[in-house]
Amino acid sequence: MIQNQTDALVRPAAPEGSEHEVPSATDEVAYRPDLPRSPLALWSARHRWTVLATALLLVLGAVGVLGTVGITTQSSNDQLVGDSAEAYDILDGADFGDVPTEFIIVSDPAGPLSPDRAAELGSELITTYETVPGVIAVGDAFPGQDGSIVLPLEFADDGEGVALEIDDSLQATDDLAAAHGDLTISQFGQTSLDQEMNDTVGEDFQRAEIFAIPATLIILLLAFGAVVAAGVPLLVGLGSVAAALGLTAIVSNWMPVDQNSQAIVLLIGLAVGVDYALLILRRAREERHAGASVLDSIGIAGATAGRAVLISGLTVVIAMSGMLVAGGMFTSLGLGAMLVVGVAVIAAVTVLPALLSLLGDKVEALRLPFTRRREARRGSEDSFWGHLAGIVTRRPLASVVVVGGLLVALAAPALGMKTAIGNVEALPQDLQSVQAYHQFQAAVPAESDALQVVVRAPAEAADEVEAALLGATGEAEGITHISGAAGEVEQSTDGTVSTWNLGIDVTPSDDAIAPTVEQVRTELLPQVRAELSDVPGVDVHLGGQAAVVDLTSWMDDSLPWVVGFVLVLSLLVMLVSFGSPTLALATVGLNLLSVGAAYGALTLVFGGTWAEGLLDFTSTGVIASWLPMMLFVLLFGLSMDYHIFVTSRVREAFDAGDSPRRAVRRGVARSAGVVTAAAAVMIGVFSIFGTLSMLEMKQLGVGLAVAVLIDATIVRGVLLPAVLTLLGKRAHTGPSWIPRLHH
């Protein structure tokens, strides 16, 4: 049995119904000796059981680590920078004797509550919540600024400020709302908000996982026309995601990762893992159909498509490493993405050849009807993409001017892109906790969206600190958009830390918040520092919503450095991969154009309100601050996949003796089918993330899907062939001193 399986690896393809002959030792290189074979792919194919067993153990181990250890995420405070980060560091080390507090807000949509009804409702609320499990203390009801009444509730906590039991109070609130249908009664607090958001995010990702796998499988079925062939890339992609999540869990134990890391790993890992496997598998089947033995087809695919995958994966990892340059929250996001791309590349060049050697021609099993004729036309210059490439290569300059102009026009709206850190306004607005937040904000503005002055000083100066802060009330209320100053100063139990809240009437995404924060820091804080100039070791900082401004400014300032880093390293990778400076420069230019068009499309969709009904979101008019940098490194890296694959096929045709123009048409025709299928997989996965409730994830999914669609069709189908035609031989030649990565 083992001998028969080994023989199957080197049998050339034979017509249906014929008897296979066992080839001689020379048959393995008789097919297309001009094409290289990958030693790594051949080794993996010959040692398939060792490779597959090792891969299985690694995946199972990763799943075990993920299940037992879990992924440790950063708190929101760990991501802060600048003056607001110092404010939160001070608060982290202070004990205010706080217990988890939730607020019950009762308001009448028709107007302010009358004094008599407010008193009656206040008594009813106290009576109701005094007996609710989990509530350890009920405060006094007080009037809100909008004519509502607010009742504070205190809960037992878990030692970290999170209420232990909150479900009973939420149920009691729902019951009260049902009993008073003419009133709006809701419950707001950090614990209830976090609980509902965690449930929503969990449901979102569960839905994404449920739909992403079938959608990917359907696309692969259409691409390969056979069930087994469609399942192989999906298996490699899922295995890559599982292994990467396990590695992320290990890394997160010594360096907590951003809360979005798991979503990024799933999003990128599934798309890239499937794409890399698809590119190599399609090339292997192409060579097998042309007459190569199974082993030969694996070796050739490894040396051609596998080489493109290696270069592309290296470029993606380099692009991701740009986030390490930025530091902060981007370090953990970058590490997660780099891990999953690295795992996907390793799986594609080792595990996939082992799987193909095990399956042999059975990879074509369970073929769908009516697919053989389409299979025969793939790669033909008479196909749609072949005809389009012929038109483009005949009129390359006109193609560059027209299509390039369209992409520049699409990128233009990006000049007006506004960014901000997502706050409650970026959450799904139909959530009960979000609606409660808005109700609470109207009732107690200084306790919701607020700037927080934080002062650290010796305990004996506590009274002096309080007097200095309250003495600045007039100055504070004279600042535009300060809606009111808190009537009291809160102090830590040891008297060394004092906080003072300044309510604001603008949201974190409003353009006015930055100048408001700047005015507080340049006018109010100096006054407080001057009043406390005789206090030794005093520290005065601004936190609260000022963190939004600080973090957004830091991200905007970091972006040019990351862009420069990625561009330079990507240019070097293309230089040593293809040996042509003009091709490397053209690659960088085309990728920048693709990213610019994606930014423009993202601004058009989420900068206004016209797409709200279409994509089910409430527009804030801004893009999440972390998205431009994240999108740049992701798009720049991912767009290299198709660019390198198409360019490799063009170079292959040129090296075989075709003229530069003919090589472009033939290379595009031969690669168009697999590029289209690979892009469809990515678009399918990214589009599912565009349906999630979280606005930031929706923006990421839509941005990536639109970018890949543009890149795989307009750029790779029209612009790249036109540029390669204009470059001619310069796209394939360069100075001899440039080191080139050969097969």
Side-chain angles (χ1 to χ4, degrees):
M1 180 65 179
I2 294 176
Q3 181 62 46
N4 289 339
Q5 289 177 341
T6 304
D7 289 343
L9 294 178
V10 293
R11 288 176 182 155
E16 286 188 36
S18 67
E19 294 295 329
H20 291 293
E21 296 290 339
V22 178
S24 66
T26 60
D27 284 343
E28 188 172 320
V29 294
Y31 172 80
R32 295 291 304 273
D34 58 306
L35 291 177
R37 275 73 170 165
S38 166
L40 178 60
L42 292 175
W43 185 92
S44 299
R46 292 190 177 105
H47 300 84
R48 55 190 179 277
W49 291 115
T50 300
V51 173
L52 293 176
T54 303
L56 180 60
L57 288 175
L58 289 175
V59 170
L60 291 177
V63 172
V65 169
L66 184 63
T68 55
V69 177
I71 296 178
T72 304
T73 59
Q74 298 173 331
S75 69
S76 57
N77 294 349
D78 293 333
Q79 301 171 352
L80 301 181
V81 296
D83 182 60
S84 56
E86 295 186 46
Y88 277 103
D89 285 341
I90 292 174
L91 293 175
D92 279 343
D95 178 16
F96 286 85
D98 291 335
V99 295
T101 303
E102 297 275 318
F103 296 91
I104 309 300
I105 312 101
V106 181
S107 58
D108 188 345
L113 293 167
S114 65
D116 290 343
R117 192 170 190 195
E120 180 184 343
L121 287 169
S123 299
E124 183 181 356
L125 292 177
I126 293 173
T127 302
T128 298
Y129 289 99
E130 279 180 337
T131 58
V132 170
V135 177
I136 60 173
V138 178
D140 294 328
F142 61 89
Q145 290 190 11
D146 61 345
S148 61
I149 57 171
V150 182
L151 179 74
L153 307 176
E154 293 183 359
F155 293 78
D157 68 9
D158 60 357
E160 296 183 358
V162 178
L164 286 172
E165 190 177 358
I166 200 171
D167 290 340
D168 289 314
S169 65
L170 290 171
Q171 183 59 54
T173 303
D174 289 341
D175 293 341
L176 280 172
H180 298 276
D182 60 323
L183 303 176
T184 301
I185 304 177
S186 59
Q187 179 174 329
F188 172 73
Q190 193 62 50
T191 302
S192 58
L193 178 62
D194 289 345
Q195 178 173 296
E196 188 170 15
M197 278 311 308
N198 289 337
D199 291 343
T200 301
V201 171
E203 292 171 1
D204 270 356
F205 290 131
Q206 186 177 20
R207 187 170 71 249
E209 292 168 359
I210 290 173
F211 285 105
I213 294 174
T216 303
L217 183 58
I218 291 171
I219 295 169
L220 291 172
L221 280 172
L222 295 174
F224 286 105
V227 175
V228 176
V232 169
L234 184 59
L235 182 63
V236 172
L238 291 174
S240 299
V241 170
L245 286 174
L247 290 173
T248 303
I250 294 173
V251 171
S252 71
N253 277 277
W254 56 270
M255 187 183 74
V257 298
D258 183 85
Q259 58 187 358
N260 292 314
S261 289
Q262 190 167 345
I264 297 298
V265 169
L266 174 62
L267 178 71
I268 302 304
L270 186 59
V272 169
V274 171
D275 259 24
Y276 287 166
L278 187 154
L279 294 173
I280 296 174
L281 177 55
R282 278 287 292 270
R283 182 59 187 265
R285 299 317 301 160
E286 178 184 328
E287 300 300 336
R288 178 64 173 148
H289 292 161
S293 67
V294 172
L295 190 60
D296 243 357
S297 67
I298 293 171
I300 294 171
T304 53
R307 178 177 183 272
V309 164
L310 278 171
I311 298 172
S312 174
L314 176 62
T315 308
V316 174
V317 170
I318 286 174
M320 300 296 179
S321 68
M323 290 192 285
L324 305 185
V325 174
M329 65 180 291
F330 291 109
T331 298
S332 59
L333 286 174
L335 281 176
M338 291 167 68
L339 282 173
V340 75
V341 171
V343 170
V345 170
I346 294 171
V349 298
T350 58
V351 179
L352 180 60
L355 277 172
L356 294 181
S357 72
L358 178 66
L359 293 171
D361 286 333
K362 291 180 181 177
V363 75
E364 300 276 12
L366 303 178
R367 176 164 286 281
L368 301 179
F370 311 113
T371 58
R372 291 193 181 276
R373 180 176 298 179
R374 186 186 62 189
E375 189 78 27
R377 286 181 52 84
R378 275 183 180 145
S380 169
E381 293 181 40
D382 293 330
S383 65
F384 169 79
W385 292 107
H387 278 300
L388 181 61
I391 296 171
V392 170
T393 54
R394 287 193 296 271
R395 298 176 178 83
L397 184 58
S399 299
V400 169
V401 171
V402 173
V403 176
L406 288 175
L407 290 181
V408 169
L410 182 57
L415 297 174
M417 179 188 289
K418 297 179 181 178
T419 61
I421 298 296
N423 198 22
V424 175
E425 59 183 345
L427 301 179
Q429 297 301 297
D430 57 349
L431 296 182
Q432 287 186 350
S433 56
V434 173
Q435 294 174 355
Y437 163 80
H438 291 303
Q439 191 179 358
F440 182 68
Q441 185 183 40
V444 196
E447 294 291 335
S448 45
D449 273 343
L451 303 177
Q452 189 173 55
V453 181
V454 179
V455 181
R456 180 169 57 190
E460 55 269 20
D463 291 341
E464 189 175 348
V465 169
E466 182 177 10
L469 291 173
L470 295 179
T473 300
E475 183 74 27
E477 292 178 345
I479 295 175
T480 307
H481 299 298
I482 296 294
S483 59
E488 61 181 19
V489 174
E490 291 188 42
Q491 295 183 332
S492 60
T493 54
D494 62 359
T496 60
V497 178
S498 303
T499 64
W500 189 46
N501 286 345
L502 305 175
I504 53 178
D505 59 10
V506 291
T507 63
S509 62
D510 197 303
D511 289 340
I513 191 170
T516 300
V517 169
E518 181 65 19
Q519 193 174 359
V520 170
R521 282 179 171 152
T522 56
E523 297 179 11
L524 181 64
L525 295 195
Q527 177 180 330
V528 174
R529 291 190 182 103
E531 290 291 327
L532 300 174
S533 60
D534 59 335
V535 177
V538 67
D539 279 333
V540 182
H541 300 283
L542 187 65
Q545 292 301 329
V548 172
V549 177
D550 293 345
L551 199 51
T552 300
S553 298
W554 170 76
M555 291 179 184
D556 291 342
D557 293 341
S558 300
L559 184 58
W561 293 98
V562 174
V563 170
F565 175 82
V566 172
L567 291 182
V568 170
L569 288 186
S570 298
L571 184 66
L572 292 176
V573 169
M574 289 300 296
L575 268 177
V576 299
S577 299
F578 291 95
S580 170
T582 53
L583 177 61
L585 288 171
T587 297
V588 170
L590 290 177
N591 286 349
L592 282 175
L593 195 56
S594 294
V595 173
Y599 279 0
L602 195 66
T603 305
L604 284 174
V605 173
F606 293 100
T609 59
W610 67 270
E612 286 183 336
L614 182 65
L615 295 175
D616 189 24
F617 71 97
T618 301
S619 177
T620 60
V622 298
I623 307 300
S625 291
W626 58 274
L627 266 179
M629 187 183 299
M630 189 72 187
L631 279 175
F632 177 81
V633 296
L634 285 176
L635 295 178
F636 203 90
L638 295 178
S639 64
M640 295 295 284
D641 287 356
Y642 311 130
H643 186 101
I644 291 172
F645 194 77
V646 173
T647 305
S648 295
R649 293 309 295 262
V650 173
R651 173 68 62 86
E652 190 179 314
F654 178 80
D655 290 343
D658 283 347
S659 67
R661 187 185 300 269
R662 179 63 186 277
V664 170
R665 181 174 182 181
R666 180 168 294 181
V668 170
R670 288 178 174 176
S671 60
V674 67
V675 167
T676 302
V681 170
M682 282 198 175
I683 293 170
V685 173
F686 296 154
S687 296
I688 289 171
F689 273 74
T691 67
L692 301 186
S693 301
M694 296 291 292
L695 183 59
E696 293 181 350
M697 287 293 105
K698 191 184 293 289
Q699 290 178 346
L700 178 62
V702 171
L704 289 173
V706 171
V708 171
L709 178 63
I710 293 171
D711 195 66
T713 54
I714 299 174
V715 176
R716 305 309 161 203
V718 179
L719 208 51
L720 176 60
V723 170
L724 289 175
T725 303
L726 290 173
L727 292 178
K729 289 185 178 181
R730 287 174 298 171
H732 308 289
T733 58
S736 58
W737 54 265
I738 296 178
R740 181 177 170 188
L741 295 176
H742 293 280
H743 295 291

